[in-house]
Amino acid sequence: MQRENWKALLPIGVFLVMYLGLGIVFEYVMEIPMGFYNIPIVVSFLTALLIACLQNPGLKFDEKLEVMAKGVGDKNIITMILIFMAAGIFVGVVGRSSAESVAYFLLSIIPARFAVLVLFLVSCFVSIAMGTSVGTITLITPIAAAVAESSGFSAALCIGSVMSGAMFGDNLSFISDTTIAACNGQGCEMKDKFRANFWIALPAALATLVIFLMKTAGMEAGATIIREYHLIQLIPYILVLVGGIIGINVFVVLLIGILSGAVIMLTTGAVEATSLLANMGSGAAGMYETTMVAILVSAICALIHEYGGFAALLGFVKRVFKSRKGGKLGMGLLVGAMDIATANNTVAIVMANPIAKEMSEEYGISPKSAASILDTFSCIFQGIIPYGAQMLVAISAAAELGCELSAFDIMPNLLYPYMLFISSLIFIFGVKERGD
């Protein structure tokens, strides 16, 4: 048994103070818009890595480099980075106009009184297809604002339904960076994690639909605005979703999506060949920060593990949470605390992965269950914190269209994260998982 060493966790503390502390000052003291996201997270992690390298002087610097190299060179980390790149290229190829097509198609065939439910369902599909909650919110919020203006439903309710649906897909999508990080960190197949996660997410989504239906029942709704849509652009998304569910290798699935998307976008004239190549590059470049965070966190965690920091954390968790169910809850709360501190669910998962891996081995938790818990709890907290990118982007997009809202106007309507939390607790304490 490795010796416990709480001092080894100092780099994490330095990162939190630098990132969270400065973020609070920028956002709430200096009132800088998107203050948390004006702090370069890569620089924050580089600082934490420097602190980790300065610790434990008994270990030579060359030996520390070897420890970091083993952490970064892990098969799961390399796989994660390659999937990040492929997913970025896929989103760059297919573009974003298809998201609007889904919204306007459904709004054209479903009565206006169900517009809030439509926004939720559209956001669910788009976020699963695109693998990004922030991207979904950026695309669908302007539609939600237009629906609110024309239908009479409150803007806070419409935007809350969009954010709820966006977190549904962020939690389940095969190309979501949270799913990629959780699955590769815990060493499980995406299809296995999806199947375990689906039975947590589905009840929460159904409960959300029922509550939205109850909240809008009896309200007078006017006509909604309908614009042009092109359903053929949905084919690449559907191919990726179906391929992932049936268990085709993720790289093959993404390649199919990229090729089918390129053919459709070119043949329909949605984009020119030169622009398509540029979009591929932009999509891959959009994953730069996530990739660098994965590399840096892997290096930091390798040193922390070597110094005995994870042994200290695991010992604490074992003293607080005695049973397997308690271990699952502890794992969820761990990634939730990381998310509150970083305001980034992917970073939270990457940071929690090594500790969660040891916890899963200690408590006998299956990899698919551990990955599901990490992804689910990170999305729960990310979906409701008032300073998260999702909330800030939604408020900003609404403000550009004349809808002045605060986070606290929208938070009561974030029904899906609340339902997901309840569903997760039922899954942990009320359901016996096969394979655990």
Side-chain angles (χ1 to χ4, degrees), residues 27 59 66 68 71-72 148 204 257 294 305 332 353 355 371:
E27 186 78 32
L59 199 65
E66 289 182 8
M68 288 187 280
V72 174
H305 183 277
N353 257 331
I355 308 169

Side-chain angles (χ1 to χ4, degrees), residues 261-324:
V263 170
I264 289 171
M265 299 303 282
L266 288 173
T267 55
T268 59
V271 67
E272 296 179 356
T274 53
S275 298
L276 182 67
L277 289 172
N279 291 341
M280 287 182 177
S282 298
M287 290 293 186
Y288 161 77
E289 184 174 87
T290 303
T291 300
M292 287 306 304
V293 165
I295 292 171
L296 292 172
V297 170
S298 299
I300 294 168
C301 288
L303 289 175
I304 292 175
H305 183 277
E306 181 72 17
Y307 300 162
F310 289 163
L313 268 178
L314 185 59
F316 172 76
V317 170
K318 286 172 62 178
R319 289 189 288 271
V320 175
F321 302 101
K322 305 293 186 182
S323 65
R324 179 184 296 148

Side-chain angles (χ1 to χ4, degrees), residues 135-168:
T136 299
I137 292 167
T138 301
L139 289 171
I140 309 300
T141 294
I143 300 174
V147 167
E149 184 177 356
S150 60
S151 68
F153 294 121
S154 73
L157 178 61
C158 291
I159 292 172
S161 69
V162 170
M163 291 185 64
S164 292
M167 297 316 298
F168 174 86

Side-chain angles (χ1 to χ4, degrees), residues 19 23 26-28 31-38 133-134 137-138 141 159 163 342-343 382-400 403 405-408 410-411 414:
Y19 188 76
F26 283 10
E27 186 78 32
Y28 298 107
E31 297 184 348
I32 299 173
M34 299 286 285
F36 269 87
Y37 300 91
N38 285 321
S133 54
V134 173
I137 292 167
T138 301
T141 294
I159 292 172
M163 291 185 64
T342 62
Q382 185 67 24
I384 59 176
I385 54 176
Y387 51 87
Q390 289 77 1
M391 181 68 76
L392 298 176
V393 166
I395 293 172
S396 176
E400 290 178 4
C403 296
L405 297 170
S406 73
F408 299 101
I410 299 173
M411 286 175 70
L414 299 175

